[in-house]
């Protein structure tokens, strides 16, 4: 093993430990904001693994799309939900944890068996005369044009749904939900801080 192969092995080990640790943090942390930040760590670790596989375009797309767009969108969605009540414990939470653990262990055993049983081909010779960006672009707009366009429409629908969920109208104290004309695109919400501030200014006047 020469110096380059040793550096690759050490980098692979560091990225693998980082990915596993961040993934466990995503599942085990009770604070959803910390879980979202650790999810960004998982995406960055995956981008590093893509770089080790000479997938420069996939690694850059991983960072730009998943870390810079999807992870930030998840954080904005968490902050816009503004949940005030704590999660109440469910009576069957123990059974669900047991079932989740069994399914996770079975999936891990299945993936481990597949990794060990697959005859992986090892080749260090780069592919000459092919640019990965040009090759991916040709496949996107020739062989996979329909799935590419369907994915674009799906992302547009998700963006419109996120805008509708984030659009909330503030309700005053004197109106009840039964007196309002509800529409599909309206999610009423009455923040407590603004209501208390408004009532305090009215009493002072």
């Amino acid at each position: 093993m020469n110096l380059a192969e040793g550096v690759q092995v050490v980098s692979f080990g560091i990225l693998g430990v980082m990915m596993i640790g961040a993934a466990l943090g995503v599942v085990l942390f009770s604070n959803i904001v910390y879980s979202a930040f650790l999810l960004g760590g998982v995406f960055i670790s995956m981008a590093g693994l893509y770089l080790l596989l000479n997938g420069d375009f996939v690694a850059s797309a991983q960072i730009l799309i998943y870390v810079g767009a999807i992870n930030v969108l998840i954080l904005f969605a968490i902050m816009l939900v503004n949940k005030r009540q704590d999660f109440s414990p469910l009576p069957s939470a123990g059974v669900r944890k047991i079932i989740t653990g069994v399914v996770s262990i079975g999936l891990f055993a299945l993936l481990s068996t597949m990794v060990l049983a697959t005859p992986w081909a090892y080749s260090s010779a780069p592919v000459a005369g092919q640019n990965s960006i040009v090759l991916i672009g040709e496949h996107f707009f020739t062989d996979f044009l329909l799935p590419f366009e369907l994915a674009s429409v799906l992302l547009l629908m998700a963006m419109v749904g996120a805008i509708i969920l984030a659009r909330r109208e503030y309700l005053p104290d004197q109106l009840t939900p039964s007196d309002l004309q509800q529409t599909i695109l309206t999610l009423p919400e009455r923040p407590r801080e603004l209501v208390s501030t408004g009532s305090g200014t009215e009493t002072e006047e």
Side-chain angles (χ1 to χ4, degrees):
M1 180 184 294
N2 54 18
L3 181 60
E5 292 180 355
V7 171
Q8 288 182 357
V9 171
V10 172
S11 301
F12 177 77
I14 294 174
L15 290 172
V17 171
M18 179 179 173
M19 179 183 295
I20 294 174
L24 289 176
V26 171
V27 179
L28 298 178
F29 269 106
S30 58
N31 194 337
I32 193 171
V33 178
Y34 293 160
S35 299
F37 277 112
L38 288 175
L39 183 62
V42 175
F43 292 151
I44 293 175
S45 303
M46 292 177 64
L49 293 178
Y50 290 147
L51 283 177
L52 291 180
L53 295 174
N54 294 325
D56 49 355
F57 176 77
V58 182
S60 60
Q62 176 80 18
I63 295 177
L64 290 175
I65 297 175
Y66 282 93
V67 180
I70 295 180
N71 199 24
V72 174
L73 180 62
I74 291 173
L75 288 172
F76 271 103
I78 292 170
M79 295 175 183
L80 286 173
V81 166
N82 194 15
K83 183 175 177 58
R84 300 179 182 276
Q85 298 179 356
D86 296 331
F87 291 102
S88 58
L90 298 175
S92 61
V95 179
R96 295 184 180 183
K97 289 181 180 179
I98 294 174
I99 295 175
T100 304
V102 171
V103 172
S104 300
I105 293 173
L107 183 60
F108 179 77
L110 180 63
L111 292 176
S112 301
T113 305
M114 183 193 68
V115 169
L116 295 176
T118 302
W120 302 100
Y122 178 77
S123 176
S124 59
V127 180
Q130 291 184 355
N131 190 354
S132 60
I133 300 177
V134 175
L135 193 60
I136 291 173
E138 289 179 355
H139 282 293
F140 265 155
F141 291 100
T142 54
D143 300 331
F144 303 100
L145 179 60
L146 183 59
F148 180 70
E149 295 296 332
L150 289 178
S152 302
V153 174
L154 182 62
L155 290 175
L156 179 61
M157 293 171 60
M159 184 180 66
V160 173
I163 293 173
I164 292 174
L165 290 176
R167 181 180 178 270
R168 299 174 182 268
E169 294 184 357
Y170 297 139
L171 303 179
D173 269 337
Q174 62 270 16
L175 296 180
T176 59
S178 59
D179 298 332
L180 298 175
Q181 296 180 356
Q182 299 291 338
T183 61
I184 298 177
L185 300 180
T186 303
L187 293 177
E189 184 181 61
R190 181 164 54 94
R192 298 176 183 176
E193 290 86 2
L194 294 181
V195 172
S196 60
T197 305
S199 60
T201 52
E202 291 176 0
T203 53
E204 289 178 0
E205 290 177 357

